[in-house]
Amino acid sequence: MTHPLRTALVTGSAGFIGYHLCSLLLAQGWRVIGVDALTDYYDVSLKQDRQSKLLQSPHFRAVNDRIETPGLLADLFEDHRPDAVIHLAAQAGVRYSIEAPESYVEANLIGTFRLLEAARAHPPAHMLLASTSSVYGANTAMPYGETDKADTQMSFYAATKKANEAMAHSYAHLYNLPTTMFRFFTVYGPWGRPDMALFKFTRAILDDDPIDVYNHGRMKRDFTYVDDLVAAIAKLIEVAPVRPDQDTPPSPPDDSLSPVAPYRIVNIGNASPVPLMVFIEAIEAAIGRSARKNLMDMQPGDVPATWADTTLLNRLTGSSPTTPVADGVARFVAWYRDYYRV
């Protein structure tokens, strides 16, 4: 007797993280509906190439449209009744949110609203939505914990993601939608985004161009390798939160489980902040060439450091990201040289 495949609906499926997650879910035996608008925020051909690889699987279906399009997600939920929904589609980038804030309203606020409405009509077993470490904003106590107060966002991008967390909590409470929000910490790896530091630094060093190093290099990031990240997401799919009641034992004090909804926030990071200069040294070592550094002041909306407490992730899934930066950077550089034939 054959069993029907479980269906996952992934928004942002041709994006950096979405591509890797879809690849993993397909390998694990899921049927995947991927939604992506293939916007021109960065090189569309990179997104098209990711999608082409996913389309090699007979269990992947691509839907190329914006998530904020009225009726799009409602129809997909009605037609496919997904078991799991992983919402990654968003207008990304701290710095771009200063230049084009309205695009963040459309994709991050209206798009997420359309998703929540679709889920209300046809509830999946588990909804998982991407947030960001940027919501911790001006917090200085580290490592960042999910139960820390996070009300001082320093960019409009971060503000839209914090709003997504609040929106999702209200729907989880009102309509009993099991919901996990994950806060990502500086994800990197092969097929990465060209607007991210690793991509820009690698390209510049290979072209013998200078790299812009903000805050004169006095920054730390909790760099998280993409394979570790999507493995954590796949495990979190299987541990949907439940609404607490009088028969449920109290959750540990560091658990972000809502007292009134089947809703939880989970950090996904490497739990090991790396100085920016050490990250650059790893790129130089992988390429075999030194960078020419243009030391600059901190950019508006940026933060000097990030560091994830991954205790909750470890308790829920039995593991947490561990790939050393030197290894992950070397894999990215090898992919970059192969992809761009340099």
Side-chain angles (χ1 to χ4, degrees):
M1 178 179 177
T2 60
H3 297 280
L5 299 178
R6 288 194 294 172
T7 298
L9 189 149
V10 179
T11 70
S13 54
F16 167 41
I17 296 170
Y19 160 71
H20 283 279
L21 178 64
C22 290
S23 297
L24 177 60
L25 294 178
L26 291 166
Q28 292 181 345
W30 287 79
R31 173 176 173 255
V32 179
I33 311 298
V35 183
D36 201 294
L38 301 176
T39 64
D40 62 359
Y41 170 62
Y42 62 80
D43 184 7
V44 175
S45 65
L46 186 60
K47 300 180 182 183
Q48 292 169 333
D49 287 346
R50 295 182 190 127
Q51 187 175 89
S52 293
K53 291 178 71 68
L54 294 174
L55 285 167
Q56 293 173 13
S57 168
H59 299 305
F60 180 79
R61 179 191 167 192
V63 178
N64 296 141
D65 206 339
R66 294 179 178 272
I67 56 170
E68 61 267 33
T69 301
L72 173 77
L73 292 173
D75 289 346
L76 288 173
F77 273 67
E78 183 173 7
D79 292 346
H80 298 287
R81 306 297 172 101
D83 302 284
V85 175
I86 304 93
H87 178 43
L88 302 171
Q91 179 56 61
V94 168
R95 291 158 195 157
Y96 188 64
S97 69
I98 296 172
E99 302 169 26
E102 190 165 338
S103 63
Y104 291 74
V105 173
E106 293 166 352
N108 300 6
L109 299 181
I110 297 174
T112 299
F113 166 71
R114 302 276 190 224
L115 182 94
L116 294 171
E117 278 289 284
R120 174 167 74 126
H122 301 288
H126 196 181
M127 294 260 294
L128 302 99
L129 291 79
S131 186
T132 171
S133 62
S134 295
V135 301
Y136 289 109
N139 289 18
T140 56
M142 295 191 194
Y144 294 145
E146 295 91 345
T147 57
D148 294 349
K149 188 174 181 179
D151 290 336
T152 52
Q153 287 73 49
M154 295 172 67
S155 69
F156 188 61
Y157 163 66
T160 63
K161 286 297 191 176
K162 184 65 190 297
N164 286 166
E165 293 183 0
M167 292 161 66
H169 181 272
S170 69
Y171 270 69
H173 167 67
L174 291 168
Y175 308 113
N176 205 37
L177 290 171
T179 302
T180 295
M181 301 289 314
F182 25 65
R183 291 175 175 168
F184 295 156
F185 284 71
T186 316
V187 188
Y188 74 102
W191 293 97
R193 286 185 4 226
D195 63 316
M196 298 292 284
L198 176 55
F199 207 110
K200 292 196 291 188
F201 288 173
T202 298
R203 173 176 286 166
I205 294 170
L206 286 168
D207 291 343
D208 198 29
D209 291 330
I211 63 173
D212 292 337
V213 181
Y214 292 103
N215 203 32
H216 301 266
R218 295 189 294 270
M219 301 175 76
K220 290 184 177 181
R221 288 290 182 270
D222 200 347
F223 293 102
T224 309
Y225 189 62
V226 67
D227 285 359
D228 292 341
L229 178 101
V230 298
I233 294 172
K235 290 178 180 178
L236 285 170
I237 290 173
E238 310 301 338
V239 285
V242 296
R243 185 191 297 270
D245 57 35
Q246 61 269 29
D247 299 322
T248 304
S251 58
D254 61 347
D255 193 333
S256 62
L257 183 67
S258 166
V260 295
Y263 173 96
R264 178 184 272 124
I265 297 168
V266 183
N267 286 336
I268 305 181
N270 216 54
S272 179
V274 173
L276 179 57
M277 289 302 194
V278 172
F279 187 65
I280 293 171
E281 289 169 4
I283 303 170
E284 294 172 323
I287 293 174
R289 184 183 301 174
S290 296
R292 293 192 290 121
K293 302 175 186 70
N294 181 23
L295 301 180
M296 304 177 69
D297 293 336
M298 180 82 87
Q299 283 213 320
D302 223 338
V303 296
T306 63
W307 179 6
D309 183 335
T310 57
T311 304
L312 178 57
L313 175 66
N314 215 339
R315 188 164 72 239
L316 293 172
T317 67
S319 62
S320 54
T322 57
T323 298
V325 158
D327 294 351
V329 165
R331 291 173 205 165
F332 172 83
V333 171
W335 167 82
Y336 185 97
R337 285 185 180 277
D338 177 67
Y339 184 77
Y340 290 104
R341 296 178 173 83
V342 293

